Amino acid sequence: MKAAGKALNKAFGYMVFIALMLGGLAFFGFVVAFILGPTTGGALGVFIKGKYFPWVIRFGTLTIATGLISMYLNGEEALSLKSDKAEAEAELAEIKANQE
């Protein structure tokens, strides 16, 4: 189970990188559309909004699901209050030790 979690964690990292690149590509596509003007640029903008964005959003959703499954398989609790509380208590103890 841990091996699958590590593999999914690695896949999640690559997927996040790809999702960021796809978002950047959309941004630069809109910049190019702005430069091209109302006719060609308008068609490019409509394509990005209508055809490209839905696929980027689906890929982002798949990326998030992969990350959550990987966290579950690795036994990580990155989004829980329990881990934040333990970290805060350790930091508080360190601060108190430095003050004395």
Side-chain angles (χ1 to χ4, degrees):
M1 198 111 128
K2 288 284 186 180
K6 285 186 178 185
L8 276 177
N9 200 20
K10 192 170 201 164
F12 172 67
Y14 286 120
M15 291 172 78
V16 166
F17 177 74
I18 292 169
L20 287 172
M21 292 300 111
L22 291 174
L25 187 62
F27 168 76
F28 287 117
F30 279 122
V31 170
V32 168
F34 182 75
I35 292 169
L36 289 176
T39 54
T40 309
L44 179 60
V46 167
F47 168 77
I48 291 172
K49 178 200 165 276
K51 302 279 187 201
Y52 182 73
F53 268 163
W55 286 104
V56 172
I57 291 170
R58 287 181 188 122
F59 184 76
T61 304
L62 181 65
T63 301
I64 291 169
T66 304
L68 289 174
I69 292 169
S70 133
M71 283 175 36
Y72 174 74
L73 290 177
N74 288 329
E76 297 174 5
E77 294 183 10
L79 300 176
S80 73
L81 293 176
K82 189 186 325 179
S83 65
D84 289 343
K85 182 180 177 188
E87 184 180 314
E89 287 175 351
E91 187 176 334
L92 183 61
E94 181 182 331
I95 291 171
K96 285 183 179 179
N98 288 337
Q99 287 179 350
E100 294 175 357

